[in-house]
Amino acid sequence: MNGIEWMVEAHGCAPESLRDLNTLRRLFNEITEDLKLRRVGETQWHQFPQTGGITGLCLLAESHLAVHTFPEFQSLCLNLFCCVRRREWDFALHLANLVGASSTTVRSVARPYVPAAETSESEPQSADTSLPLGSATR
Amino acid sequence: MNGIEWMVEAHGCAPESLRDLNTLRRLFNEITEDLKLRRVGETQWHQFPQTGGITGLCLLAESHLAVHTFPEFQSLCLNLFCCVRRREWDFALHLANLVGASSTTVRSVARPYVPAAETSESEPQSADTSLPLGSATR
């Protein structure tokens, strides 16, 4: 049992979409609804006045979701950290549809918050990724 | 010119420190002060009632800072995403002092938000890491 973080970069996006708060809210909604992630409190948004770039931070029961847009470079960076298991999400498809991304790179990185000695014992055997595994208290 | 993200895992921490909001506030203060990072708005904190684990999310002019603590595993995970250049910070030393971490792993990952064609032209030559480089509008 351990965490996973997806680090996503999208390029070739439409700058006007990257400056549009509603588009980014929709992106967060699609991710949290599709992956059954539970928000804790209000998502924090900030738009930088000079470029119109937006940062969004969303605190989740399952960890966090963050986005930074760079309209001046037609790009965005996104992080989704899940301390419980979740299926892969098609970031490239959704980002092509929502912000017109022409290329998207997705890296997934293990976040080992459980000591190695405990991981092997508690590693779930089930292939069911629809339910939170592990830290059920979150 | 591109972003960098530090992904940090600390193990063997004192559980009571991982449940203490003031300790984590101090951690964020040390990072933001030492690296001259500018906060945008209030840091968002949440403590999970069952384990006492804490999540903190801090929106920065230079991107974001996030922490998740797991007292039940004596561990924490931290992310510092900087879209402008910053020096290395001694996470291991500070986490040993603040939360009693016995081992800390730090990974730094490039976050390429600038298209490759533009990166080579705008890559700063200066070794001065005390000032934000690149996206000066943030």
Side-chain angles (χ1 to χ4, degrees), chain A residues 9-116:
Chain A
E9 272 90 28
H11 289 271
C13 308
E16 64 274 17
S17 301
L18 301 177
R19 293 189 180 100
D20 182 48
L21 194 52
N22 284 335
T23 299
L24 298 171
R25 284 189 201 276
R26 203 172 141 196
L27 171 64
F28 273 23
N29 288 343
E30 290 184 358
I31 294 172
T32 55
E33 286 170 17
D34 285 359
L35 296 179
K36 297 181 173 54
L37 300 168
R38 294 161 295 163
R39 295 177 191 231
V40 177
E42 288 295 305
T43 299
Q44 210 177 0
W45 295 100
H46 180 78
Q47 188 154 29
F48 291 87
Q50 201 161 338
T51 62
I54 291 173
T55 290
L57 294 181
C58 178
L59 205 156
L60 301 169
E62 298 80 12
S63 292
H64 75 265
L65 175 61
V67 73
H68 303 282
T69 74
F70 303 90
E72 68 276 35
F73 297 117
Q74 299 177 254
S75 66
L76 71 74
C77 297
L78 183 145
N79 288 52
L80 173 59
F81 184 166
C82 283
C83 69
V84 289
R85 193 169 285 199
R86 284 294 185 272
R87 68 173 170 82
E88 295 288 323
W89 198 68
D90 195 339
F91 289 100
L93 177 70
H94 286 263
L95 289 168
N97 288 342
L98 272 176
V99 298
S102 61
S103 74
T104 298
T105 307
V106 180
R107 291 172 283 180
S108 64
V109 182
R111 299 301 306 262
Y113 66 88
V114 182

